[in-house]
Amino acid sequence: MTVGESGEPIVGHLSIPASAGSGKTFRLAHRYIQLLALGESPERIAAMTFSRKAAGEIFDTIVKQLCKAAERKEDAEEVSGHADILNHGPGEYLALLRSLLDSMDRLHVGTLDSFAIRIVQSFPLELGITMDFEVMETGGSVARAARNEVLRGILERRNLDASAQEAFLQSFKQATFGQEQKSLGRSLDRFVDDFHAEFRALPEESGWGVGETIWPGSSPWLNPAKDFDECGRFLREFTAASEFPDRVAQKWVEFIDEAVAYLPGSPWVNAIKYMMERLLPISAELREGHATVRLFTTDCALNAEVCRACLGLVTHVMWCEIRKNLETTKGIFQILQRFEAIYDERVRKRGRLTFDDIQFLLSPNTASGGGKPLSGIPGEDRLYIDYRLDAQLDHWLLDEFQDTSDIQWSVLENLIDEVVQDPSGQRTFFYVGDVKQAIYGWRGGNARLFDQIKNRYRETIGEELLKTSYRSCAHVIDCVNTVFSSLPADQFLKETRIRWAEAWEDHEIAGGSVPDNGHVSLLSPAAETDRFDVAAGIVREIDPVRRGLSLALLVRTNDEATDLVKVLRGSCEGVPVVHEGHAGVLDSPVVTALLSLFKVGAHPGDAFAWKHILMTPLGRIIQERGLTRETLPQAVLGQIHVTGYRGFFRDWGDALAQVVLLDEFGRRRLDDLVDAAGEFDAGGTRDAGAFLDFMESFTLREGSSKNAVRVMTIHQAKGLGFDVVIVPALQGRPIRGGGGAGVITAYDSESERPVWTLQMPRKLVAESDEVLRKELQRHEEEKSFEALCVLYVAMTRARHAMYMIVDRPKPTSTAYPSAQFLLDQLEKHGVEGGDPPTTFGDQPAHCHFARGEWGWYLSTSELEATPAHEVQEPVRKRDASARALPARAVTWRSVPGNPFTDRAADRLELGSAIHNLFERVEWLPEANPIQAVELWKETAPFPDNVREAAANHFRTACEASAVQELFAEPPAGAIVWRERAFQVMLEEGLVSGRFDRVVVDADDDGIARRASIIDFKSDSVDGSEDLSRKAESHRSQLHLYRRALSKLLPLDETKIDCFVVFTTVGKVVELYALP
Amino acid sequence: MPVTRHFLGYDRPQIQAVCRFLLPDRIRTAPELDPLLLVVPTRRAGRRILECLSGVCEEHGTGLFPPSIRLPTELVRLDTSHLASPALVLAAWVQVLRNADLRRFPALFPDCPPDQGTSWALYVADVIQRLRSELAEGGFLICDIVKDVGEDLTELDRWRNLASLESAYLSVMDRTGRVDPCTAMITAAADPVLPPGIRQIVVAGVPDLSPVVARFLMRLGDEHSIDLLIHAPDSLADLFDRWGRPIPGEWAGRTLEIPDASRRICLAANESAQAGAVVRLLNDSDPECSVAIGVPDSNILCPLRDALERSGYTPFDPTGRAFRDHSLFHLLDAWHGLLSVGDYAALARFMRHPDFIRYYEQRDICVASVLEQLDTLQNQHLPAGLDEVVRVLDDHEAYCGETGRENTYPELIKAIRLLRDRLHDFEEMPGVESVKTFLKDVLGDFAPGPDSMDAQLFSDAADLVLSGLEDVSEAERANLIQPGQDGLRLLIHCLKDAEMFARRVDEELVLEGWLEVPWSDAQWLILAGMNDEVVPSGFRGDPFLPDSLRSKIGLKHGEERLARDAFLLAGLIASRPDPGGVTILYGKTARSGDPLKPSRLLLRCSDEELPGRARQLFGEAEVARDDVPPSVSFPLDVLAALGQEAADHPDSLHVTAFGTYLDCPFRYYLSHILRMQELDDRKMELDALDFGNLVHYALEQLGRSEELRVSTDTERVGAFLAESAERFAYGRYSSHPPLSVEIQLRSATERLRKAAEVHVAELAAGWEILDVERRVRGEFEGLTIVGKIDRIDRHRVTGACRLLDYKTSETAEPVAKAHIGRRDPESRPYASVTMDKKQGTWTGLQLPLYRMLLEQDGFGEGVEIGYFNLPKAAMQTGVSMWENFDEKLVDRAGHCARGVIRDIKSGRFWPPCESVKYDNFERLFPSAYAACVDEISQAKLMPGQEGGAAR
Ligand code: SF4
């Protein structure tokens, strides 16, 4: 608690359960402002959330509120009111604004992910990082490609030693329990998807499918009767002896036969199912030794002996079933563990980490042992996190807390514990979230943390409710209240109802802030049409793009979204429909054609790609460029290696655009492809296979614009609001029941840590075991709660209007479909707001519930008719940058053939050694050239052999008379320049160079009369013809030098002589100026 | 002599002011600036100054003798002869780290890394060296920190650990006879040496001179004159220290005037939106006014270059090209991959490297064939790596030798042989010399033309490699690393971050970095990416040097950066009067979606302006772009793909082709006429066809074995089948096939064992194998129909015959359902059929046609037809016959077959079927077929029009 001047607490720890649209971010921003106003320095406040978008909004909101308050007294009062601040006027707020903006570089307002990344960056050695790392979007195309690499790696056995291979095959068999698979690749992929979260939560072998852990005190089913054969025999006799009707007797016999032969993994045949369904419920009686079981219409009385025998067989079957699941679970674990090991080796150790990996690295609970920096108590044990991050965090503000996963919490736990337990009362913790929106359970989000933490800090933490919607109109909120305020008792587990009731508060609306025209309805399609078509009809009727309304269609799964997008695109012409977050680039022929071009380059045998290109304008371009299927590989791969994939697609895309006039969409997609390629290039590889993998899973990252109709999953819609929401896909998963349990992880009720994981046996089996039954129930309750959350999220996105479209479900006993739930809750309240239309954009539908006017949107003004998609012609409008300076530099460096031949490399070095040596000579004969060379050799920075060779050259040259002549000091004396740099502007541009040696004959006034340029060359020379040829090859350079010197001195060109000294042979060639 | 500060004023851009200072007032002859040492902040600044100097001299009709130009750090690195190269430094560290007992450094490595391998050591070496270089700029070695700051240090133990590692490193370095660069820097500062002939030093526009350089200059100041040039008016003299550095305290609170801020500062949604904004600004600008673009945020470079190019500008990015992007680097990397990992992917990558392609192309090997054959081999044999490929090729050659068949992989064999020669050479030779040999061989006589950009780049790249090799070989000689692969890895590690100097082509628009913009003389400046943490950039996330420690020991730190950048921005704005000026762009989010904030500098306005400014800067960005409804940019000219080789009318047809045609005539056209088949090398396991072949092979062996096919010993038959399958699989996929194959093989043998039971039971029921894999053919409508019947049985007692098709799909399907589907009113009339009084449509004709062909083959009527199912679920394994298959159906099937043949012959392949079960052609049709395929093709593919318009 932050204390006031007189020591009274002003701000305490606070927990805020909120509802959808109630302004969580707004509340959090004001808390931040409040802390600032109390004099806390901004760098000591951490405000964090999950999504990047929300993170940006938090800071923007803080700044905007402060700006407002700094400008007007009334606004200052309003902000003070929201933030519970006393005595602050515009002047004070201005100061706060200033200090906040000044310390922007030291703030901790952002995503949990980015905070985690910063920690990892600061503690690389402690966390076992062995590479400069890059972060991959979890599930993004980069991560996907990496995963494919791992899958491939696993399949190649060279990565596993013989025993590991065998173990892998075994575990795979175990995991699939004889349900042999034809496609290992796909199954593996699925395995990893399905079970990875569980594996991460509990990465210990002892937790997976180990009977002792699950049933510490043992379970009756785990001690199978050793003598079940005997039991079988006894029961057969019993059946024979009893005078049961035929079919009853037959059931007994069939059961006995099947049960005795039963093995783990045996099929659950009818006879077993029938009898187990009847015997398991009476297992207690069987144990007591007298029971009756009813088969068909016959009651079979069982005496103690018979009971024991029955129990023997039942136990045997149960044991087999449980055994099977234990084994499967172990197998799954083994596979995941191996996957993990290889993934670690090939991806993480190579510095490619996903956000999940980062959290995992940091968690003190995980086996990586990497949590050190954050673990322990402050002081001795805890590493210097504040110090390295330059941050002492006194206040923690967490948004969307219901989505925190155990791993994430474990990263923060100690830091926050420290804050809450700080005895000074100067530090605070604040968190806000909506348990009703906890829909990320599948990703590890643990909404129970919300209450657990409240309970843990019960003594010190306050609570405040946010239940007023600033988003949705009254009709929407009324509808939400009607559906969720009381759940039908007969359809939900008691626990679900209690938990929901605890989280529930009737919603209110903030009049003035929410729209006042709006509409809600629950529809179902008439027989001749379906939900998606009705949805498309509504879209056509509202015509949101023209009216400037944002509209989203929410579905459950991405597959549904794909289908819905197809329907919409087919029937809503001219309306951009975007599959949010899943828009690939393959929906344009421009992209597919270019990809085929690449494919042929990398895989010239691909007839598909080749023929495809021929069908497109690319065929013509290839021809024009003189390329064939045979020559494409060299051209394509060569180009990619020089310009990257990005340059490759840009080039060919531009060529394509020149041949056909690309429409806006085609151009857009071309740019998208080029961008995607750039992203791939950034990874540094040019690998063809990796690129294909990458492109196949590539999705556009950019969000869609307001002028598009957006199709997305409910999960994606979380945190967003739209003018209109259509929910046409509430069939699928029921709100309760249905579906198998799959793999379940059980948690310790005290520590909340995962204890064991098991692939659940079939329901009948699981429900007959106390431990499993409890977990199963908990799981059901969890699933049911999450299903409610999903529905709640879907129903709270709309500002103006919401249309829910359902089919009336067929009644079933085992599941409660969401659609039925909605009908049950709403239908009884009937239709208000006028007679419902019979069709929606010509699609007939029935209405079960409605509030608000049907034509609510008619009052919304239509947008000015802006030209839909202005075609922007790519023309440049101005010439050069009009730079004053000349740009072009003249170079004459000739590239030697293959630079890797020994000769080429040595010659370069030799050349500079020789220059270095000659630089020391003023005139020849030097007093003692030999000694000079020896002296030079001692210090010259060249390898021995080069030094030796240079010295030899030098000696040869010095002995040659031509050279001696050239180096002789003129009697009248002269100025000599050695290795002198110059720079001069000639017609061809800026020439910068270095004269090896220039001798200037000047008059007394220093005016040049004549000059010679002497250039050393270490080329090998073979005969006189070669000599003149080589000399000739230097002519252009020397000519340039002559002109340069002429300008520098200044001196007429004809008065400048040029000499090339070939040091290898000690020859001098004069290059006369050409007329 | 004193150190003199010169304030250049804001009258003109910095570069002009500097040149004015350097040149004499009146230029008559070429100015001789050679005795001058000019210290500049960046290499490019140096070049620009030289250009500008030449320009001025040119105006006076002469050239000049340029000054020596140095970066500040180069001053303290003048004597290079004994300096250890970066590679040697790393090698020394690797040696120290790999052999260190990490338990002795618990504060540094609280958890021992799992292995002290080379790549770990290289990483840690990089981390420590980065730290050392930063410290050296402040004039410290690690041990100095421990000594000087000592007890005041947070994490003192960690620093002690570092210091003892450092001392181990220094002694290793000592033994090599080279000098550690950091030590050299500090020594140089204590005892400064200048190149001969230098008499004067000018430091031009260096706002962040490091302590070690300042010390160097201070010592020199005794004998040389030193001039510091500062681009600011005299009146601001108090805001700078004696080395011309803006004083953090003075600049922190200063107001920075941005005239017309509401127009001059623009927000854009993200990188590409900023790029778009730059283009728009350029297009709208006054052509008389010279423009330069500054790009502080390098993330914008790529989209910006792209946007500019698309609009017809020729932007030029003067930052170095990363060597990592050069094909020479990839060649080395691929080579290293082949040597160290050696899996198939590494091989495929190497075989596709353009340099290696050129290498074998020059030896008359056809590239396209090599790659095609490699893919084919991969698909056929799923090799794990080079060794496997070699084995397959050897086996195949032997097989062809024996049987006289044509070799399938002639070109691949040649290419692989070349590759193995190179590998052999490499292994023969010790050390990195072998790398040079390898490059020499592979690059052969490669010589790019002397003028081309590529040639320049290539030559730069080659220089880098050569000097890298030199350094690595020194490390090898000093016994710091193992010769060979380790050397190659070190080489790659050192080169991967190397940069090559980019040369200019005919540039127009230079995209300058933040430290380069002050050297631009353009009147109007556009700055893109002015976001916080870019300008000023921070030092967050440093494992050793948090900001607090930095400022404590006088290294570069946050406050100092802020001061420097405020000074730079102030100068940019102040020296550009109307009509010029500075326009500032910044982004709202990064490409990744992370939120961004505007640079703090932009908020350094007066109190009155602040709320308005902040509201403007933190406003909403316009959405980056509008969505566009999808459209088909061009339809496919399907007929253009019809080459000479593919005949319109095949002269024979396989029985299964009918099903394909009935499914969808257009897809039939694509797959059977155009033969569009994909091929790449990403196959990981057997596909359905391979799996079927495997099972078929085993069953065929059974049918051919006189003895076993009549055996009633289930065990033996099962074992025989399993063995046959194994023989097949291990033969094709090697005795150590990928795990997927192993699993599939196990699955196959399980199915086969189950099949053995069924087979024996059938035998017991009287059915004996009469023939297997029997080829059949017959004439229909003037066309030959061919096929292969898996198995023909005859009943021992009744003499009845039946033909069976082995089915290995996941689930068993009834025969009738596989041939006759639900009634489809859109289908061709000949395809309709009535069975069991229900109307249906033919979807396949395989078994009925077999029966007809067998009839022609002398089997007479009455052969029953059915499947021998071997599905996943063992329970469903068994023979399933087509009950009530009667002569009427035979007739209908014949009728249908003739209809199909007529259609095929008349070239009717349109319209396509709207939905098919498995669509291999999906990506050709992002939209409705009629839109995706051009009308001429449509018309041509539907001669006669009898079927009417497209479905
Ligand atoms: S299976 Fe045999 S014949 Fe066929 S490609 Fe492989 S080695 Fe050659």
Side-chain angles (χ1 to χ4, degrees), chain B residues 380-381 396 399 409:
Chain B
Q380 187 85 330
H381 297 280
H396 184 72
Y399 167 84
Y409 308 113

Side-chain angles (χ1 to χ4, degrees), chain A residues 186-204:
Chain A
R186 227 176 314 127
S187 333
L188 263 180
D189 209 29
R190 219 197 45 231
F191 258 91
V192 177
D193 270 343
D194 290 356
F195 307 128
H196 207 243
E198 266 83 12
F199 179 78
R200 275 284 164 94
L202 182 60
E204 285 121 52

